[in-house]
Amino acid sequence: MKSSALLELRKLSIGYRMGAHRDRVVASDLNLGLHAGSFVCLLGPNGAGKSTLIRTLTGLQPPLEGEVLLDGTPMASFKPRDLAQRMSLVLTQRVPVGNMPVWSMVAMGRHPYTGWSGRLGTEDVSAVEESIVSVGLEALAFRPVCELSDGERQKAMIARALAQDPKIMILDEATAFLDLPRRVELMDLLRNLARQKQRIILLSSHDLELSLRSADRLWLLSPSGQLRDGVPEDLVLDGGFAETFQSCGLSFDPQRGAFHLDRPSRGQVSLEGEGVANQWTRRALERAGFEISEQGGAALHIRLLTAEGEGLNWEIAGSRSCSGDGVEELLNTLEAVHE
Amino acid sequence: MNKIGLLPTGGHPCLHRLWGLAWVLLPILVLCIFALELCLGSIFIPPAKVFSILLGDAQAPESWRNIILLFRLPRAITATLAGAALGMAGLQMQTIFRNPLADPFVLGINSGASLGVALVVMSAGAVGWTASVAQVAGAGFSLIIASSLGSMAVMGLVLMVARRVESSLTLLIVGIMAGYLASSLVTILMHFSQEQQLQRYIGWTFGSFGGVTWSQLRIFAPAILLAGMLAWSQAKAMNALLLGEGYARSMGLEVRRSRFLLIVSASVLAGSVTAYCGPIGFLGIAVPHLARMLMRTTDHHVLAPTVLLMGAGLALTADLIAQAPGTSTALPLNAITSLLGAPFVLGVVLRRRQVLEAGA
């Protein structure tokens, strides 16, 4: 299986050529292979070189050393048109295209297939329509792109990239400006698109928690120039995830798959209660700087008495017992007790 | 797979009807204005007479035949070609730079031409060689040569840069700076020149379609036709460039090569018009916008022929009005194009805000 990688990085070194003998190396000796049918998220802290890697993979920037292989062939040996038939791109920035309808925008993706006149054949037309349908924009096909919402617009750009019928689709922070539901929807769409047509879809993203949940694989690029590749859960369990994003004041909690700020502890409390109420109260307590002891036996014991969807009732047992409603009151009480 | 249901060219059926109608009406309209241009002027010549003179009627009055064949016909042909050229060059520049305010002269071609002309006009007499050039080639022709050399110098500089840099923005800055340099040199020349020379230079900046003779058309027309065809052949590339250089490259466009061809053709179009007719403003920036609004598309396969036709029609109309038919006076062409065109375009644009976003 290893030999049949669709995308392969071989001893790749990326960065900028500043002068004849002065290179600014961002990351070096990257060796990776990716198989068809996977949705991969590229994550890394700001400045680690995600953009440089993306630019190198898409051929916008030559590698300093090594090569990128596409289906076993070095990428540099493809003509622009041949490369465009294998790889397509979605970028972050909004493109001002005025009153161009979605259909025409998606049809631009057929550019590497059409002749001099740009005329679409029946095959091109069905590729365009299939792309529009697969991102779910058929109802908006004739709407001008400038009238779409940001989410719809990005879907149209994805449809355009799909119309290129690529084996590899690369998205550079393509979900950056969308709200959470839109991002979840888009990630789900991308994963399905990768599976259905046996494509590789590579998304560079800042959205760690969502990527952990949605991606088939993660590429973690650390500031030291190391690129880790693996299934998200493996990377969490072996500590790679925490190490990549290690920085002062922030630590990764493998229990919940999220980051939290390190604060000085204001004392231990124990929490008793179930379900959602427990989860959100826990958050509030942690934010206020309390450590939650899992074993119990802390100086303060908080018991949650609540039914789903009816707000929170709580009582504190211990040296000073009291009770009340709502998280805000709980926090205020704890504050007072702590004084 | 469900079918969305449309024509294989990808447009909405309604649009195709609109385009079909436009392809019939626009040429007819241009022909009508062309005919009017032949009939109207300081004196009126009836259409029937014009027609028979064009067909070689020897019985028509000698003066009418001279007016039609030596003055109005070359003038109308010049206006047609120049208008089409400016429209196309404007479209190209707006697309390359994705900027709705770009015009054919955004890369400084006009300023280069002005410098060339200013050098010839204002240093005449002071420098021996220009005088001798003027004697050999005729005064009108020396301006054309000077103007062409000036535009070519700027174009050469811009193209040299274009082959090296990736970013169109850098290119734009180079062009604008070259323009400033040329303009400042022109100002210095003006400062030291005599009133008569100044007047001649300013007369050139008014612009006119009337100064082009048949023999000059023999160079002007092929230059415009060739460059126009080269520009039209890049319609597909221009479509890709609408999405920006990153996307264009990812769709397999050789961006530098296409941009080079586009700049060469646009420069030849704009430079030739300036050389033969003076710096004609406004048409180049307005025609592409009007074409986009009329055809309701950003597809350059549709826009290219539209700007050619609309540019020709508008240039003919402006020239017609500038001649103030029925009177013996004539207004500066440049004033007319902007004076009548600007409020019109302003009105249309303000009513349809989204077009401003079009950029290209």
Side-chain angles (χ1 to χ4, degrees):
Chain A
M1 275 303 275
K2 201 76 194 163
S3 59
S4 66
L6 183 51
L7 178 70
E8 200 181 338
L9 316 187
R10 204 176 274 172
K11 290 190 178 157
L12 185 70
S13 170
I14 59 172
Y16 297 90
R17 198 139 272 172
M18 312 291 274
H21 300 289
R22 290 186 307 125
D23 294 343
R24 203 176 81 75
V25 181
V26 172
S28 59
D29 200 26
L30 308 178
N31 293 289
L32 277 182
L34 271 187
H35 297 283
S38 43
F39 173 42
V40 187
C41 284
L42 170 63
L43 301 173
N46 280 337
K50 291 196 296 291
S51 302
T52 313
L53 180 57
I54 292 277
R55 286 174 58 84
T56 310
L57 288 180
T58 50
L60 291 180
Q61 182 178 334
L64 294 179
E65 258 173 67
E67 54 189 1
V68 181
L69 300 178
L70 230 168
D71 234 350
T73 315
M75 216 177 76
S77 66
F78 282 109
K79 288 198 181 105
R81 187 187 169 99
D82 295 333
L83 184 62
Q85 293 182 356
R86 289 167 175 78
M87 181 185 277
S88 65
L89 195 59
V90 178
L91 303 170
T92 324
Q93 90 262 25
R94 289 166 57 130
V95 186
V97 289
N99 51 6
M100 184 191 291
V102 171
W103 209 101
S104 310
M105 154 79 92
V106 176
M108 300 249 252
R110 298 307 290 175
H111 191 278
Y113 296 92
T114 57
W116 164 83
S117 73
R119 195 170 192 84
L120 301 173
T122 44
E123 203 175 304
D124 299 311
V125 172
S126 59
V128 171
E129 301 204 333
E130 198 180 338
S131 306
I132 293 177
V133 170
S134 62
V135 300
L137 282 185
E138 55 270 49
L140 302 174
F142 293 118
R143 197 73 73 74
V145 174
C146 60
E147 286 177 15
L148 301 185
S149 69
D150 282 345
E152 290 161 349
R153 186 187 274 256
Q154 216 46 310
K155 277 190 192 168
M157 296 313 289
I158 290 172
R160 188 207 57 80
L162 279 178
Q164 264 174 262
D165 196 15
K167 294 195 163 117
I168 299 171
M169 189 165 139
I170 295 181
L171 299 94
D172 190 10
E173 297 187 13
T175 58
F177 295 125
L178 307 181
D179 60 17
L180 185 62
R182 233 47 64 208
R183 285 205 300 263
V184 174
E185 190 188 339
L186 218 56
M187 298 285 259
D188 191 49
L189 172 69
L190 289 173
R191 194 181 45 211
N192 287 336
L193 290 175
R195 297 251 173 91
Q196 280 164 14
K197 285 283 176 87
Q198 290 296 300
R199 294 187 179 94
I200 290 176
I201 295 186
L202 176 67
L203 169 76
S204 79
S205 171
H206 281 296
D207 201 334
L208 306 182
E209 293 172 37
L210 191 54
S211 302
L212 266 178
R213 226 167 287 211
S214 317
D216 295 321
R217 297 186 84 81
L218 293 181
W219 283 9
L220 301 178
L221 190 60
S222 62
S224 61
Q226 195 184 2
L227 184 62
R228 291 171 222 256
D229 159 58
V231 172
E233 292 72 17
D234 275 339
L235 290 169
V236 169
L237 292 175
D238 71 10
F241 203 85
E243 212 171 296
T244 304
F245 291 96
Q246 192 177 49
S247 66
C248 42
L250 198 71
S251 54
F252 181 73
D253 179 358
Q255 286 280 338
R256 284 181 298 149
F259 283 84
H260 59 80
L261 288 167
D262 297 330
R263 291 168 209 258
S265 169
R266 302 174 68 182
Q268 274 199 337
V269 294
S270 53
L271 192 59
E272 179 190 334
E274 307 228 313
V276 189
N278 180 310
Q279 192 187 323
W280 289 95
T281 311
R282 183 178 287 259
R283 268 197 190 210
L285 292 174
E286 278 173 356
R287 190 172 63 237
F290 292 98
E291 227 175 296
I292 316 281
S293 119
E294 303 297 335
Q295 280 80 35
L300 289 171
H301 182 75
I302 301 166
R303 190 178 304 134
L304 304 177
L305 314 156
T306 182
E308 206 72 23
E310 282 185 16
L312 184 73
N313 295 298
W314 51 263
E315 52 183 53
I316 298 178
S319 50
R320 282 190 241 174
S321 55
C322 54
S323 65
D325 301 322
V327 175
E328 187 172 4
E329 202 182 338
L330 174 63
L331 289 180
N332 289 338
T333 311
L334 285 175
E335 202 82 19
V337 167
H338 193 73
E339 299 287 309
Chain B
M1 194 195 78
N2 27 349
K3 191 102 168 81
I4 302 173
L6 41 122
L7 301 176
T9 40
H12 198 277
C14 293
L15 272 185
H16 281 260
R17 268 203 297 282
L18 171 74
W19 296 343
L21 201 64
W23 296 146
V24 177
L25 291 184
L26 276 179
I28 293 178
L29 200 65
V30 172
L31 268 180
C32 288
I33 306 172
F34 191 94
L36 271 180
E37 170 99 348
L38 295 181
C39 299
L40 300 178
S42 51
I43 56 163
F44 174 73
I45 301 177
K49 274 289 173 212
V50 170
F51 195 65
S52 65
I53 289 172
L54 286 182
L55 289 179
D57 177 9
Q59 262 132 53
E62 181 69 21
S63 64
W64 283 14
R65 283 183 50 208
N66 280 345
I67 287 176
I68 297 288
L69 295 178
L70 293 184
F71 294 100
R72 288 192 188 169
L73 188 57
R75 182 183 189 122
I77 293 175
T78 305
T80 309
L81 290 172
L86 290 176
M88 183 58 118
L91 178 68
Q92 288 173 282
M93 290 302 183
Q94 289 180 4
T95 298
I96 294 175
F97 295 109
R98 295 209 291 156
N99 188 334
L101 296 178
D103 73 358
F105 309 116
V106 72
L107 289 180
I109 286 169
N110 230 355
S111 316
S114 307
L115 179 59
V117 169
L119 274 173
V120 169
V121 171
M122 297 183 202
S123 61
V127 184
W129 68 268
T130 44
S132 59
V133 166
Q135 271 167 8
V136 170
F141 221 68
S142 73
L143 286 193
I144 293 171
I145 291 170
S147 167
S148 307
L149 286 178
S151 332
M152 278 195 279
V154 173
M155 179 176 122
L157 176 70
V158 169
L159 286 178
M160 222 165 65
V161 178
R163 289 177 56 174
R164 292 193 192 166
V165 300
E166 289 286 321
S167 145
S168 287
L169 197 63
T170 315
L171 212 56
L172 195 59
I173 293 170
V174 170
I176 290 175
M177 288 307 129
Y180 274 118
L181 273 179
S183 318
S184 69
L185 291 177
V186 170
T187 312
I188 292 174
L189 279 173
M190 286 169 82
H191 181 69
F192 287 112
S193 61
Q194 291 150 12
E195 203 172 321
Q196 208 183 343
Q197 296 168 323
L198 263 182
Q199 200 136 40
R200 194 163 167 230
Y201 174 74
I202 289 172
W204 176 79
T205 65
F206 283 167
S208 165
F209 297 133
V212 182
T213 62
W214 280 114
S215 65
Q216 289 169 1
L217 261 180
R218 247 176 261 153
I219 303 170
F220 182 61
I224 299 290
L225 291 178
L226 280 178
M229 262 152 38
L230 179 59
W232 196 343
S233 75
Q234 296 298 305
K236 185 180 164 185
M238 286 195 270
N239 277 345
L241 282 172
L242 271 185
L243 294 188
E245 284 162 43
Y247 276 122
R249 190 171 287 115
S250 85
M251 292 191 292
L253 185 75
E254 293 178 54
V255 171
R256 276 193 220 186
R257 184 173 153 270
S258 297
R259 198 176 57 185
F260 187 83
L261 290 178
L262 282 169
I263 291 178
V264 167
S265 53
S267 302
V268 171
L269 288 172
S272 315
V273 173
T274 304
Y276 285 85
C277 312
I280 311 264
F282 187 74
L283 286 177
I285 190 170
V287 168
H289 287 290
L290 295 174
R292 276 186 218 107
M293 280 182 262
L294 176 72
M295 300 309 236
R296 284 192 248 142
T297 182
T298 46
D299 183 355
H300 288 78
H301 291 108
V302 177
L303 289 178
T306 312
V307 291
L308 293 177
L309 288 168
M310 288 180 89
L314 282 179
L316 283 166
T317 312
D319 191 40
L320 205 57
I321 295 169
Q323 290 181 61
T327 70
S328 56
T329 54
L331 297 165
L333 177 65
N334 248 332
I336 298 300
T337 51
S338 311
L339 193 66
L340 296 175
F344 174 63
V345 171
L346 212 55
V348 182
V349 167
L350 287 180
R351 243 188 303 144
R352 296 190 48 187
R353 246 177 338 127
Q354 80 217 32
V355 177
L356 272 184
E357 199 212 358

